[in-house]
Amino acid sequence: MSNSVTEPSVRTKWTAGTLVILYAVITLLPLVWIIATGFKSPSDAIAYPPTVLFAPTLEGYVNLFTDRTRATAQMLADEGEPTTWYGRIVREQGNVIAGPSRYGERFLNSVIIGFGSTALCMVLGTMAAYAFSRFKVPLKDDLLFFILSTRMMPPIAVAIPIYLMFSKLGLSDTHLGMILLYTAVNLSLSVWLLKGFIDEIPVEYEEAALIDGYSRFQAFTKVVLPQAATGIASTAIFCLIFAWNEYAFAVLLTSGTAQTAPPFIPTIIGVSGKDWPAVAAGATIFLVPVMVFTILLRKHLLRGITFGAVRK
Amino acid sequence: MTQSPIDRIARATPAPLSRRIRGLSDRTIAWIFVAPTIVLLLAVNIFPLIWTVRLSFTNFRVNRPNNPVEWVGLENYRRILTDSDIWGTMQVTAHFLIWTIILQVLIGFALAFLINKNFRGNDLWTTIIVFPMMLSPAVVGNFWTFLYQPQIGLFNYAVSYLSCIPPDWLLTCIDPSSFSMIGDVGLAPWAIVIADTWMWTPFVMLICLAGLRSIPDFIYEAAECDRAGKWRQFWTITIPMVLPFLMLAVLFRGIENFKMFDLVVQLTGGGPGSITEVTSINLKREAFEKWRTGYSSAYAVILFVTIFGLASIYVKALNKVKDR
């Protein structure tokens, strides 16, 4: 036992731990419920009282990735026995597969737009952050504040002219348009965060490199970038999560080719009414990667969510 | 991996050629590095904003591009500020904003306070608690409609279950099919508050935790020597030291929830009626359903000025607290 007055007693620790774990369990329930519902049959999903123990099925996942039609006995006879495992699952419901659903495409759009905008944002953001950190840029503070203030605008407020602009430039509902848009939105976060990370790298390293005959650009790429790698990686994950989760611009500016998953998932419906297991399956596939990234990010989480204002 | 940068520099001494071309001057590099960011922000953020301001003085409608565009001066602004529906929307937003902030600050601070007791495994539980806030609000909102279903929803089941365990606080068991969080006029505003609190309490918690951890132990030790009780220590050391952090958390949540769109639009869609129609949803209806482009541009400008104004006043107050 420590004698420090500030060290909480064992009993305090136990109580605190119990309460926090209780909260964590309650807060996790909706998430566990989403994941569990994805593996339920439609009747289990809407059973009362809610089913905790159930026979898991992949029906929700199969329904998520396929479009199905209700088949008559004649159609079923013509079709013959299904040859695939997912064909059999659909057949058990009395349906036949009409084709793949749009979920795959929408998910792929999310991946393309998410990674595309993150990559672009990191290139531009790192350069700008380096310049703001190391050089005397005229009106530096004003520019930095301007960059931050772009985050205060409600997306819907700028969506009107962006909508007009994109239709004139032929960018509406294109991957390029969404990548540029998300890059612009994320730049404020990446510049502020990266400036913080680069500020922490001692200038002496670069000065040493410059004396050794490096050009400024070489010093940037060969000395600063490797040093800032952790910071760049965690900033990138933040940008990726933001682009991944974004909904307002996506729902207003995309409808088909470039639509991402968040506007699409709520529109998933089954042959008869809302297919909750399929919605839950779609949500699970979409949300779980973010949870994994959150675990990777945990050390820099605070810094990211406060734009570098709180560094721990 | 752990080689020092000095080693790396020594190994990669540049070739004579690049030694001769010393590269661009710092000034040029600074401009080359900053310019793309500024250009992109001007194109995608500032240019649209200026366009919005310009449109706000006209009667332009996107769905009728051939109509002559008339300059109507401040007419749009006058109509918005005298429109009782918009004030209703503002009240909805205020209710949402105030209650989410109160709940998130109370629960978030309490959690941070408990986590700061450093029980074993607190890092693990902190990470788990943080999950909701990293997820897509639209997808989460959509799924909460499932939890809020009468009869089959998990939320309704939990409420009914809790109302039935003794001691019978409510003297009656609530039937899970007897109420609908998102269909009932009285409950819907609370449905969005609960979902948002579930999602964003961890945000306040993380910031408070950073505040609590920034308090050096010796202050408490000194207080202990002066025989200050735990309660007194809490009010005269803990709270004042955490306050700037707490205010920062409130600033972030305030701005975010003033702009709130995705979670609420998926959860209630502004309904029933317009009971949960927060400003962003209202604005979206005006701009993208009624296509009153000029009018909604003025609306957008008013919202932006409000957020910016409130945030600036708040930041001043925050700086005062910090300096104290």
Side-chain angles (χ1 to χ4, degrees):
Chain A
M1 276 308 296
S2 84
N3 292 320
S4 163
V5 289
T6 51
E7 182 70 16
S9 70
V10 176
R11 224 179 82 198
T12 317
K13 282 189 180 185
W14 264 97
T15 326
T18 316
L19 288 171
V20 169
I21 291 169
L22 187 72
Y23 179 87
V25 169
I26 294 171
T27 206
L28 268 189
L29 257 183
L31 294 179
V32 172
W33 205 247
I34 295 181
I35 296 168
T37 306
F39 292 101
K40 286 181 180 179
S41 65
S43 57
D44 276 340
I46 56 167
Y48 177 82
T51 41
V52 178
L53 295 172
F54 55 91
T57 162
L58 285 173
E59 210 178 307
Y61 286 85
V62 173
N63 288 357
L64 174 69
F65 283 104
T66 57
D67 277 338
R68 302 155 314 282
T69 46
R70 193 161 281 290
T72 57
Q74 181 59 42
M75 277 170 73
L76 289 178
D78 290 348
E79 191 90 351
E81 276 304 299
T83 47
T84 53
W85 62 271
Y86 48 89
R88 273 191 288 277
I89 289 180
V90 172
R91 181 62 65 87
E92 278 165 25
Q93 311 162 43
N95 296 331
V96 286
I97 294 175
S101 77
R102 294 237 173 93
Y103 185 77
E105 288 168 36
R106 300 303 191 246
F107 192 85
L108 192 65
N109 282 343
S110 271
V111 172
I112 294 171
I113 293 171
F115 279 90
S117 70
T118 304
L120 189 55
C121 193
M122 293 326 290
V123 173
L124 298 183
T126 316
M127 287 176 7
Y130 179 72
F132 279 126
S133 171
R134 294 292 196 257
F135 302 129
K136 281 202 185 87
V137 179
L139 301 172
K140 181 161 105 187
D141 290 339
D142 298 296
L143 281 175
L144 276 170
F145 183 72
F146 154 69
I147 291 173
L148 185 66
S149 70
T150 58
R151 248 311 177 22
M152 284 191 205
M153 281 176 244
I156 313 286
V158 275
I160 304 163
I162 289 179
Y163 177 87
L164 296 171
M165 189 165 86
F166 273 25
S167 9
K168 281 219 175 100
L169 297 173
L171 284 173
S172 37
D173 208 9
T174 60
H175 292 102
L176 180 65
M178 294 313 280
I179 288 175
L180 287 176
L181 180 61
Y182 286 170
T183 305
V185 176
N186 267 337
L187 264 176
S188 54
L189 176 73
S190 71
V191 170
W192 273 79
L193 276 185
L194 287 167
K195 180 175 178 295
F197 283 116
I198 293 175
D199 281 344
E200 282 167 16
I201 303 169
V203 193
E204 285 75 18
Y205 290 163
E206 281 153 85
E207 282 167 356
L210 290 173
I211 289 164
D212 278 358
Y214 273 48
S215 73
R216 191 46 110 152
F217 191 75
Q218 286 170 321
F220 171 65
T221 52
K222 293 195 177 141
V223 180
V224 177
L225 286 188
Q227 289 280 305
T230 332
I232 292 173
S234 49
T235 309
I237 298 180
F238 271 107
C239 292
L240 183 62
I241 290 179
F242 172 82
W244 189 252
N245 289 346
E246 210 284 331
Y247 171 78
F249 285 126
V251 80
L252 294 175
L253 301 174
T254 65
S255 50
T257 37
Q259 192 184 44
T260 52
F264 179 74
I265 290 173
T267 64
I268 298 170
I269 43 164
V271 176
S272 53
K274 190 103 183 168
D275 188 350
W276 284 111
V279 175
T284 305
I285 297 178
F286 190 73
L287 300 180
V288 168
V290 179
M291 298 190 210
V292 174
F293 276 132
T294 306
I295 296 170
L296 294 178
L297 264 185
R298 64 191 184 283
K299 281 194 188 121
H300 297 289
L301 213 49
L302 189 70
R303 200 165 168 159
I305 59 174
T306 60
F307 279 61
V310 182
R311 286 181 190 165
K312 200 178 268 183
Chain B
M1 276 306 287
T2 50
Q3 61 178 181
S4 82
I6 306 298
D7 293 338
R8 203 176 293 136
I9 295 158
R11 267 195 304 108
T13 308
L17 180 71
S18 53
R19 200 189 291 265
R20 259 178 285 134
I21 308 164
R22 281 281 295 181
L24 307 157
S25 77
D26 281 7
R27 211 182 137 78
T28 325
I29 285 195
W31 278 111
I32 293 174
F33 276 20
V34 176
T37 297
I38 301 296
V39 168
L40 191 66
L41 286 177
L42 283 176
V44 185
N45 269 309
I46 298 310
F47 174 65
L49 190 71
I50 294 168
W51 199 350
T52 307
V53 174
R54 218 178 68 92
L55 284 175
S56 74
F57 297 114
T58 68
N59 66 351
F60 179 67
R61 295 173 76 105
V62 178
N63 59 341
R64 291 184 208 143
N66 297 326
N67 273 19
V69 178
E70 277 173 40
W71 193 261
V72 295
L74 291 169
E75 177 61 19
N76 286 327
Y77 289 89
R78 193 190 61 76
R79 270 162 62 204
I80 290 166
L81 295 173
T82 52
D83 189 336
S84 61
D85 285 355
I86 294 213
W87 287 109
T89 301
M90 286 285 182
Q91 277 171 12
V92 172
T93 311
H95 176 275
F96 175 68
L97 203 62
I98 292 169
W99 280 105
T100 48
I101 287 180
I102 291 176
L103 289 173
Q104 287 168 24
V105 163
L106 288 179
I107 306 173
F109 180 80
L111 277 174
F113 189 75
L114 293 172
I115 289 173
N116 198 39
K117 296 289 173 210
N118 288 324
F119 56 89
R120 200 188 301 174
N122 61 5
D123 274 354
L124 172 76
W125 293 106
T126 311
T127 310
I128 287 177
I129 289 174
V130 162
F131 280 154
M133 75 172 197
M134 305 302 284
L135 305 176
S136 165
V139 176
V140 165
N142 178 244
F143 205 82
W144 270 80
T145 62
F146 182 58
L147 302 177
Y148 279 147
Q149 296 281 315
Q151 183 77 22
I152 61 167
L154 185 67
F155 183 85
N156 285 37
Y157 181 77
V159 168
S160 122
Y161 183 82
L162 291 175
S163 72
C164 282
I165 49 169
D168 231 340
W169 299 109
L170 300 161
L171 301 167
T172 169
C173 278
I174 298 171
D175 179 14
S177 58
S178 68
F179 68 104
S180 166
M181 289 299 286
I182 48 180
D184 186 279
V185 174
L187 294 175
W190 297 104
I192 57 177
V193 168
I194 292 171
D196 190 78
T197 303
W198 172 76
M199 201 163 177
W200 289 108
T201 297
F203 179 88
V204 181
M205 176 197 85
L206 275 184
I207 296 180
C208 286
L209 193 57
L212 287 168
R213 287 187 174 153
S214 74
I215 307 174
D217 279 351
F218 67 79
I219 300 187
Y220 287 110
E221 280 156 14
E224 203 73 26
C225 292
D226 291 343
R227 295 176 185 276
K230 288 280 177 216
W231 188 245
R232 203 187 146 92
Q233 287 181 22
F234 178 79
W235 285 106
T236 54
I237 301 172
T238 313
I239 292 289
M241 297 283 275
V242 177
L243 197 61
F245 288 84
L246 205 55
M247 285 183 75
L248 188 71
V250 169
L251 175 71
F252 275 99
R253 285 318 307 144
I255 292 177
E256 286 297 314
N257 276 0
F258 203 100
K259 306 191 306 188
M260 174 54 69
F261 178 70
D262 35 15
L263 180 71
V264 176
V265 88
Q266 275 305 323
L267 197 50
T268 64
S274 56
I275 289 296
T276 57
E277 198 166 292
V278 291
T279 42
S280 280
I281 297 181
N282 192 243
L283 176 58
K284 191 234 166 187
R285 286 219 172 127
E286 294 291 343
F288 291 93
E289 282 165 32
K290 298 181 186 165
W291 298 105
R292 299 161 77 184
T293 314
Y295 179 82
S296 44
S297 297
Y299 195 173
V301 171
I302 290 177
L303 283 188
F304 180 59
V305 169
T306 313
I307 296 180
F308 206 81
L310 289 178
S312 314
I313 296 169
Y314 189 91
V315 167
K316 276 211 178 110
L318 178 67
N319 284 336
K320 251 184 208 156
V321 171
K322 256 189 194 160
D323 293 342
R324 208 181 50 203

